[in-house]
């Protein structure tokens, strides 16, 4: 797609729309000379050049990638107007778009009534779900796996709710037996399950925990900030298909969070929280003397904790979903390629004598470490960190990220490794771009060569 053409078109359409109103003179205080601007712009682009190449498949580190073309154009076109999705009068067009994308996201998870809204982030989306949980289960605690995102522990502190970390099993999933033991104490009102942990991409057995609801009166919130869109890979018989049980179970949970700014190809500033019970909007009830002038319209600010939110974020997601809907044949194809890349790479690592898989990837996050002699945690840690550092400076660079793992977690998966430290860094690659599918053979060779260069130094 021709980004330049559509950026110009977005600007043209905005100008055309503006000129449908009576003319007025711009104020001189806002004027900036072209030379002054050129100098400042030069400095900006020079500084931006210090970024890692998130767009490139040699960047196989954190969960970062540029937005899809459609998201960029959608964001730009709306941002030139800068609507505020706090209330209908702040952004009458983008509030409608938000309603539509929320319905699409709800449909993706099989929620019957789409109550929910976009948020600025997964953090805020989870905070909202935990806030509603606290209102419905006053005085009761929240349980989540020790591998859950750190935000849950933090937000429980913000909300004044007691939190309980439950042991994770050898695949990084919540240990259901340990959870049930905790539920027997009657202290827990809400269980947070993760569909795609941030570290390993592990999917908690949501269906198994859901079955516990017959015996224990608990709310279940699913944090699918990272993994949510992978639900599109269930229900096919392809190599990259995922076991459907945990994903199908989400439809019967109480709330779910998904981050379109992770796997929904959006720029940052786009999370979403969805509720299964539409009556929870009563917990947001408040009156405002200065907003909500359109009492009969949908005002997202009446059902969200945040006030101002970018209408442009809704427009970006809306335009993206017009061309790549959250369906198996739309966005599912993008995620499928990343998943196939993860399968292909993990197979190569599994048969490599130079690298070792930390565990089989469940989604598109591959975790591994260099094979070192003697096989000790300290050496794994040092070599992984050195690979990360030198990989970025090579002529044909590779950009990786590390993951800190505890000795019990590492040794339970790899009993041959000596636990001479309490934790070690291993390597973690989130394969968030479909382009990885073709790039894996090269990436694998480069990472193997990096590992060899560091083990030979000793
Ligand atoms: C990224 C992530 C979060 C936090 O979301 P932000 O959008 O970074 O605020 C929460 N939970 C999980 C599982 C995540 O992957």
């Amino acid at each position: 797609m021709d980004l330049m053409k559509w950026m110009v078109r977005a600007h043209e359409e905005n100008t055309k729309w503006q000129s449908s109103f009576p003319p007025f003179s711009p104020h001189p205080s806002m004027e900036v000379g072209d030379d002054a601007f050129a100098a400042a712009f030069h400095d900006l682009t020079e500084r931006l050049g210090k970024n890692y190449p998130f767009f490139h498949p040699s960047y196989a580190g954190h969960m970062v990638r540029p937005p899809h073309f459609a998201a960029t154009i959608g964001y730009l076109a709306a941002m030139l107007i800068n609507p505020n999705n706090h209330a209908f009068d702040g952004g009458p067009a983008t509030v409608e778009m938000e309603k539509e994308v929320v319905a699409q996201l709800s449909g993706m998870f099989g929620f019957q009534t789409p109550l929910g809204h976009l948020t600025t982030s997964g953090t805020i989306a989870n905070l909202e779900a935990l806030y509603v949980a606290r209102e419905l289960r006053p005085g009761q605690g929240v349980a989540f796996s020790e591998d859950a995102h750190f935000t849950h522990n933090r937000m429980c502190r913000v909300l004044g709710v007691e939190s309980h970390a439950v042991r994770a099993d050898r695949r990084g999933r919540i240990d259901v037996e340990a959870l049930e033991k905790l539920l027997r104490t009657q202290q827990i009102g809400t269980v947070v399950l993760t569909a795609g942990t941030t570290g390993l991409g592990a999917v908690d057995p949501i269906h198994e925990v859901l079955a516990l609801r017959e015996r224990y009166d608990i709310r279940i919130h699913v944090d699918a900030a990272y993994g949510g869109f992978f639900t599109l890979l269930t229900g096919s018989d392809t190599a990259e298909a995922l076991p459907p049980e945990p994903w199908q179970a989400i439809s019967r949970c109480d709330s779910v969070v998904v981050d379109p700014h992770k796997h929904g190809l959006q720029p940052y500033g786009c999370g979403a929280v969805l509720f299964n019970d539409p009556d929870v909007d009563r917990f947001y009830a408040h009156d405002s003397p200065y907003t909500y002038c359109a009492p009969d319209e949908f005002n997202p600010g009446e059902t969200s904790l945040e006030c101002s939110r970018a209408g442009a974020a809704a427009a970006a997601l809306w335009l993206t979903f017009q061309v790549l809907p959250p369906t198996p044949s739309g966005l599912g194809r993008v995620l499928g390629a990343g998943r196939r890349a993860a399968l292909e790479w993990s197979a190569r690592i599994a048969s490599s004598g130079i690298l070792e898989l930390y565990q089989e990837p469940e989604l598109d996050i591959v975790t591994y470490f260099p094979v070192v002699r003697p096989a000790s945690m300290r050496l794994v840690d040092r070599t992984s960190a050195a690979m990360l550092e030198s990989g970025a400076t090579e002529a044909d660079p590779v950009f990786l990220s590390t993951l800190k793992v505890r000795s019990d977690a590492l040794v339970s998966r790899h009993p041959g490794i000596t636990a001479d430290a309490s934790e070690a860094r291993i390597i973690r690659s989130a394969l968030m771009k479909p382009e990885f599918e073709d790039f894996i053979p090269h990436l694998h060779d480069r990472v193997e060569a990096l590992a060899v260069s560091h083990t030979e130094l000793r």
Side-chain angles (χ1 to χ4, degrees), residues 22-83:
F24 64 96
S25 341
H27 195 270
S29 64
M30 303 274 278
E31 253 167 54
V32 179
D34 207 48
D35 288 347
F37 186 76
F41 186 76
H42 170 82
D43 290 351
L44 173 76
T45 50
E46 198 168 76
R47 284 183 174 213
L48 290 178
K50 294 197 179 110
N51 276 293
Y52 299 108
F54 305 125
F55 71 97
H56 197 278
S58 63
Y59 184 86
H62 294 289
M63 305 164 162
V64 198
R65 50 155 302 151
H68 187 268
F69 161 86
T72 304
I73 298 300
Y75 202 99
L76 176 68
M79 189 191 62
L80 291 170
I81 302 164
N82 204 22

Side-chain angles (χ1 to χ4, degrees), residues 63 121-123 126 149 151-152 194 196 198 223 225-226 259 261-262:
M63 305 164 162
S121 66
T123 301
N126 277 304
H149 196 281
T151 190
H152 296 290
T194 308
T198 318
D223 180 1
Y226 183 73
D259 262 357
H261 70 204
K262 283 188 182 142

Side-chain angles (χ1 to χ4, degrees), residues 115 132 136 219 254 275-285:
L115 178 83
V132 166
L136 283 164
R219 267 183 84 75
D254 296 291
F275 295 97
N276 224 339
D277 172 10
D279 287 342
V280 302
D281 60 1
R282 67 186 184 277
F283 298 119
Y284 291 98

Side-chain angles (χ1 to χ4, degrees), residues 60-61 63 147 170-172 197-202 339 341-343 345-350 355-370 380 384 387 400-405 409-410 413-414 424-431 447:
M63 305 164 162
D147 274 12
R170 285 182 45 201
R171 304 291 313 270
T197 58
T198 318
L200 301 168
R339 170 80 186 128
L343 288 171
W345 198 9
S346 56
R348 282 175 192 253
I349 294 173
L355 301 173
E356 186 153 353
L357 259 192
Y358 177 69
Q359 70 170 48
E360 286 292 332
E362 272 190 75
L363 302 178
D364 62 352
I365 300 174
V366 183
T367 48
Y368 51 97
F369 54 90
V380 166
S384 299
M387 286 169 64
L400 308 169
S401 68
T402 54
L403 175 71
K404 243 188 237 168
V405 294
L410 183 63
R413 290 165 174 87
H414 302 278
R425 282 165 293 180
I426 61 166
I427 308 176
R428 162 174 165 274
S429 292
L431 304 182
V447 176

Side-chain angles (χ1 to χ4, degrees), residues 74-75 78-79 82-86 91 94-95 97-98 309-316:
Y75 202 99
M79 189 191 62
N82 204 22
N84 183 341
N85 270 24
H86 172 56
T94 45
V95 162
M97 290 179 198
E98 177 166 345
R309 279 181 306 108

